[in-house]
Amino acid sequence: MARIALITGGTTGLGAATADALEAGGCKVIVTARSPDKAKAYKAPVGRACYGWDVSDFSACSDSIAAIEDEIGPIDILVNNAGVTADSMLHKMSPEQWQSVLRVDLDSMFNTTRQVISGMRERGFGRIINISSVNALKGQFGQTNYSAAKAGVIGFTKALALESARKGITVNAIAPGYADTAMVAAVPDDVMKSVLEGVPLGRLAEPSEIARCVAFLASDQSGFITGSTLHVNGGLYLA
């Protein structure tokens, strides 16, 4: 029977590429969008379900994931991919800019994983892959909120890996560099030129290159890897 994978923020960019990669590996894939309206507007490939809710809302995560498991089945693989940015230098950053990023990029880790972890423990199997960022490790001008949230993702990953290993659950993180996505396309050209000058490979990642790393960590072949952070950044930061 195909394993069921849930990808938050799975309708575009890295999330959509990850959905393609997991489906190619035989998984039944479910993706989330930011709202029910966005989920309805999403043109899902045949066989791919899309649900819309706010991952920063614990109750919405609880209700929605319960509905998914009732309708489709228990979740075997969780990819915590949803994320936002609200860039500003800290001395100009508003509380809402800080809180909005922390809620979506970090609080959602708890909100979604809390709903599936008990079932994974009972069944003795699970794969949890959390998407961090190169900027969690090296920092980034104007991104104290984003860098802090993504660094928190790595700490969350390590602690949960220790709690879950004896139950057959692996928990890993991926820290991508800059990829060819809509989020990166919004970066001003002069800033992006400077970023690419610092990437030894001299280019953006293709979303599929990062998605294949997620698919590996979700597979049986990765069963002895847990608590790790896979750095996929073209040499931008050497951890």
Side-chain angles (χ1 to χ4, degrees):
M1 182 178 293
R3 286 181 173 149
I4 298 174
L6 174 64
I7 305 168
T8 66
T11 61
T12 60
L14 298 183
T18 297
D20 291 341
L22 290 177
E23 283 179 348
C27 293
K28 171 73 174 177
V29 173
I30 304 147
V31 298
T32 80
R34 291 184 184 182
S35 68
D37 288 344
K38 288 186 179 295
K40 289 177 183 177
Y42 172 62
K43 293 180 172 57
V46 174
R48 186 183 303 174
C50 182
Y51 292 74
W53 76 84
D54 179 1
V55 293
S56 71
D57 183 325
F58 181 84
S59 295
C61 288
S62 178
D63 293 345
S64 299
I65 292 175
I68 288 170
E69 295 201 316
D70 284 345
E71 294 171 18
I72 299 175
I75 293 166
D76 304 299
I77 300 162
L78 173 64
V79 182
N80 282 309
N81 171 73
V84 297
T85 58
D87 294 353
S88 174
M89 294 175 67
L90 186 68
H91 69 279
K92 299 178 181 179
M93 186 176 290
S94 69
E96 176 52 33
Q97 284 176 302
W98 175 267
Q99 292 163 6
S100 64
V101 172
L102 269 290
R103 285 196 301 264
V104 174
D105 293 31
L106 183 58
D107 290 356
S108 66
M109 299 286 123
F110 173 78
N111 295 343
T112 56
T113 308
R114 181 64 181 83
Q115 315 310 324
V116 304
I117 193 69
S118 294
M120 288 179 175
R121 290 173 65 89
E122 290 169 5
R123 296 188 299 274
F125 178 85
R127 294 284 188 268
I128 299 171
I129 301 102
N130 302 317
I131 305 303
S132 181
S133 167
V134 65
N135 292 340
L137 297 121
K138 75 175 192 62
Q140 179 60 37
F141 187 96
Q143 286 195 332
T144 53
N145 50 5
Y146 184 78
S147 296
K150 292 300 188 179
V153 170
I154 293 175
F156 176 96
T157 297
K158 291 179 178 181
L160 186 60
L162 293 174
E163 293 180 6
S164 306
R166 293 296 179 92
K167 294 296 184 179
I169 303 165
T170 64
V171 189
N172 292 289
I174 292 178
Y178 291 85
D180 189 9
T181 64
M183 181 182 289
V184 171
V187 175
D189 290 343
D190 59 332
V191 175
M192 185 50 57
K193 181 176 183 293
S194 176
V195 168
L196 288 176
E197 287 173 351
V199 179
L201 287 180
R203 64 174 177 86
L204 298 173
E206 294 294 331
S208 61
E209 292 177 301
I210 297 166
R212 286 193 293 270
C213 296
V214 179
F216 169 68
L217 291 175
S219 71
D220 290 341
Q221 286 74 22
S222 69
F224 203 61
I225 302 172
T226 196
S228 294
T229 299
L230 180 56
H231 304 281
V232 192
N233 61 43
L236 177 60
Y237 181 85
L238 303 178

